[in-house]
Structure formats: C-alpha cells, structure tokens
Amino acid sequence: MHQEPIRTAGQPLSAATKALILLHGRGGSAADILSLSAHLHVPGFALLAPQASANTWYPHSFLAPTTQNEPYLTAALAAVGRVVAEAENQGLTKENLYFLGFSQGACLTLEYVARHATRYGGVVAFTGGVIGDKVNPDNYAGDFAGTPVFLGTSDPDFHVPVERVHASTELLRSLGADVTEQVYPHMGHTITQEEIKMANQLIFKQPQD
C-alpha cells in the first residue's frame, strides 16, 4: 500500500538546493497538496508528494489506538521515509529537507518527524497532531536541534482537538524543536492565507515587506 510514484514539481531533485515533502489529507491527493506550493516561498526547492492508496493514509481517526490503524500507519510512515531517502540519494542533507502536511497529512508529518527527530530545514503542520489515543514520549527520540516548526489549527476543529495540538507542541519542544503554535478561533477545517503567511515567514524565510 501507498506505493504509487511520487508526484513532483518545482526543481528537479538533481538540481535543487532544498526539498519540501508535502503530505495530503484524507480524501485528498498528491496533486492537490502540490498545488499549495504556488502560495509558498519555495524558490529552488524540489517539491515531492507521495500519494496514499485510496487517498487515505490510515482508515481510522488519528486519535484511535495505533494498532487500529495498522498496517496502514506503518506503510504510510514508510512511504514518507522513501521520499526522504530519495532526496538524500540525490545529495540533499536533512538540514535541507522540509515537511508540510494538512489534516491527516499534518498528523502523518508530525508523527514521522517526531519519530525521526533531527535538524531539518523546517516543518509545517496545518491542523494536525501526533498520532495515537495518547501521546507516549517513549515512542519518540532524537534532537530537532532548533528545527523551526509551525502548527496552525482551529479551535474548535471537528477532527483535531486543540488539546492534541497543545500536547504535540509540548512533545516537539521536548525534542528540541523551535515551535510556533497558532490557534485560530472558529477557523474551520481549512488552510487560510494567514497560516500560509506565517509558514512563509517562519519556515520558508520569506522576506517581509
């Protein structure tokens, strides 16, 4: 499962100085999430988006016990790992790898980087949290060494309780990430221009006017 070819845009990996791995949400697609890059400050980036089988990374809520989402969750994490390996095979270091996800893709993004904490270029999670019925710090290891992370979410959100976003922020900070968490009242389950602006400034270092 989750074995479809990686969709790409931006610079070819062989010529890129940085790579952004984009993870789509439940019911979305690699093409959908790649289209978001038109609004991101990512010149010189290779854009890489894996595709979930049947457009879903795992079948149940991210708040379900992880065993209920297996073997899909393990396969989803492996799919992200394959994209990372492809970028590294082309000579990019982890410090030049960036991650972005929305909704289910944001949850997968946070789960992957927290399980493999190291100095990345940056991480963006639009409405998501680490996966499982509870946050178990023993599942995570490594040191983000100051990796900038942006978490944006709505309160309330039907799929992602703000309490899990807070817990995810706490976990990432405990692993050495430089986390900016922004909660937007009644934003809805979407990505807003304000969130994109924050991501561009904090993660992709777009110069401010």
Side-chain angles (χ1 to χ4, degrees):
M1 61 192 75
H2 311 318
Q3 295 284 344
E4 295 188 38
I6 301 166
R7 291 287 295 267
T8 63
Q11 295 295 315
L13 258 180
S14 58
T17 57
K18 299 176 181 179
L20 172 61
I21 298 168
L22 302 103
L23 301 178
H24 67 79
R26 188 188 300 269
S29 70
D32 291 340
I33 197 72
L34 276 175
S35 69
L36 183 65
S37 64
H39 306 281
L40 301 173
H41 183 68
V42 288
F45 280 63
L47 307 173
L48 311 170
Q51 172 66 49
S53 301
N55 305 97
T56 300
W57 293 112
Y58 44 84
H60 302 292
S61 166
F62 83 109
L63 298 172
T66 53
T67 53
Q68 293 183 15
N69 276 315
E70 294 295 359
Y72 305 93
L73 176 57
T74 294
L77 292 164
V80 181
R82 286 193 297 274
V83 184
V84 171
E86 178 66 21
E88 291 187 304
N89 287 341
Q90 293 294 322
L92 291 178
T93 64
K94 286 190 170 67
E95 287 190 9
N96 288 313
L97 296 184
Y98 294 70
F99 297 81
L100 180 150
F102 169 62
S103 190
Q104 191 183 60
C107 298
L108 183 59
T109 293
L110 294 176
E111 187 68 17
Y112 179 86
V113 298
R115 291 191 186 199
H116 304 86
T118 190
R119 184 54 165 94
Y120 297 112
V123 179
V124 178
F126 293 129
T127 312
V130 293
I131 297 171
D133 54 328
K134 56 186 176 181
V135 178
N136 183 356
D138 292 340
N139 292 340
Y140 308 100
D143 183 356
F144 281 114
T147 296
V149 179
F150 174 68
L151 276 67
T153 196
S154 177
D155 184 23
D157 183 272
F158 181 76
H159 300 286
V160 180
V162 72
E163 291 80 11
R164 177 53 62 93
V165 178
H166 295 331
S168 300
T169 292
E170 183 177 341
L171 171 70
L172 296 171
R173 285 176 175 160
S174 75
L175 294 169
D178 180 9
V179 183
T180 300
E181 177 193 289
Q182 189 68 45
V183 179
Y184 300 92
H186 305 286
M187 177 179 71
H189 197 72
T190 187
I191 302 172
T192 66
Q193 190 59 47
E194 176 61 25
E195 286 183 294
I196 291 172
K197 179 181 177 181
M198 292 283 286
N200 279 332
Q201 291 177 355
L202 295 168
I203 308 302
F204 303 117
K205 308 304 182 185
Q206 182 176 35
Q208 298 187 43
D209 296 334

